[in-house]
Amino acid sequence: MAEFEIAGTTFRGGKMFVVLTALSTLGGGLWAGFEFYKDYTDMKEIVQNIDVDAIAAENEKVILKIDESMLRVEEAIEYARDIKNDLREDVAAMEAHADRMEDKVEASEVRVKSSQDLIETHLETIREEMNQLRKDVTQSIREVESLMRESEKDVRNTMRETEDRIDADSRQLESDLNEKLQEALDNPLND
């Protein structure tokens, strides 16, 4: 069996295996410590070379783009409010017009009643006019309601598109920043 002697102590068999294992573990630990220290110094140098001002400038650009997008969204909301108010005023005007028409019809009925011979003819005509006016008013109200729904839908779609563009721009900007950062980290001149 093999044996060896160090400092007056003889090692053989299992003791020799334990000593070799301890020496290899000690050597591996020293090598790992050296590699860790080397990685630490490399990272320290990279961190010291990061251009914080450039990153801050890019962040400012992103903030400006977001502010611009928010301004556009606010303008779209204001535009939708204007449309809604205009439609409300149009409906109110149509109701006032219908009220005036009803007043005129009632006045006509009073005049028609004074003249017994013409009452049936005038009354039938007035009823037909009223029915047509109601149909027209109902149709107009339906058209206005449809237009309101379409306008609200357009505003929602515009807002969704704006949000999607903002999200896409943000993702693209984040991707670009990560890519530039990775390029800077991977640059062999940084070593």
Side-chain angles (χ1 to χ4, degrees):
M1 183 176 276
E3 64 180 55
F4 63 92
E5 185 175 328
I6 297 177
T9 305
T10 303
F11 295 96
R12 59 178 109 128
K15 287 183 183 178
M16 185 171 59
F17 179 72
V18 168
V19 168
L20 288 176
T21 303
L23 289 175
S24 66
T25 301
L26 181 63
L30 288 173
W31 179 78
F34 172 75
E35 286 296 318
F36 179 76
Y37 180 75
K38 181 179 177 286
D39 287 346
Y40 169 76
T41 56
D42 290 345
M43 286 304 291
K44 183 177 177 182
E45 183 179 332
I46 289 170
V47 167
Q48 287 175 345
N49 290 331
I50 290 177
D51 189 1
V52 176
D53 293 334
I55 292 172
E58 286 297 321
N59 285 344
E60 287 297 321
K61 289 179 186 176
V62 170
I63 290 170
L64 286 175
K65 286 182 181 180
I66 290 172
D67 288 345
E68 290 172 2
S69 298
M70 289 303 294
L71 181 63
R72 285 191 212 117
V73 168
E74 289 173 4
E75 288 173 354
I77 290 170
E78 187 62 32
Y79 179 71
R81 282 189 190 128
D82 290 345
I83 290 173
K84 179 181 166 186
N85 291 336
D86 290 346
L87 291 173
R88 187 178 292 141
E89 290 171 5
D90 290 345
V91 169
M94 289 176 64
E95 288 174 352
H97 180 66
D99 290 343
R100 285 193 302 270
M101 291 303 293
E102 287 181 15
D103 291 343
K104 288 180 183 179
V105 169
E106 288 174 7
S108 295
E109 285 178 355
V110 170
R111 284 192 304 264
V112 169
K113 286 181 183 179
S114 68
S115 175
Q116 193 68 18
D117 296 336
L118 301 174
I119 194 167
E120 292 300 323
T121 306
H122 286 299
L123 186 58
E124 189 60 35
T125 303
I126 290 171
R127 285 184 184 148
E128 289 174 4
E129 287 178 7
M130 284 178 55
N131 288 335
Q132 186 59 42
L133 282 173
R134 284 188 181 127
K135 288 178 184 176
D136 292 346
V137 168
T138 302
Q139 180 64 27
S140 296
I141 289 172
R142 286 184 186 137
E143 289 174 2
V144 167
E145 288 173 347
S146 174
L147 183 60
M148 284 175 56
R149 284 190 296 274
E150 289 177 17
S151 296
E152 288 174 3
K153 181 180 175 184
D154 290 344
V155 168
R156 273 189 249 110
N157 289 340
T158 302
M159 289 174 66
R160 279 191 208 111
E161 290 171 3
T162 302
E163 288 173 357
D164 291 344
R165 282 195 309 258
I166 289 170
D167 289 344
D169 289 347
S170 295
R171 285 191 298 273
Q172 182 63 41
L173 181 60
E174 183 178 344
S175 174
D176 291 347
L177 285 174
N178 286 338
E179 199 174 290
K180 287 181 182 180
L181 183 60
Q182 189 60 44
E183 285 177 12
L185 292 173
D186 293 342
N187 189 346
L189 296 177
N190 286 338
D191 289 338

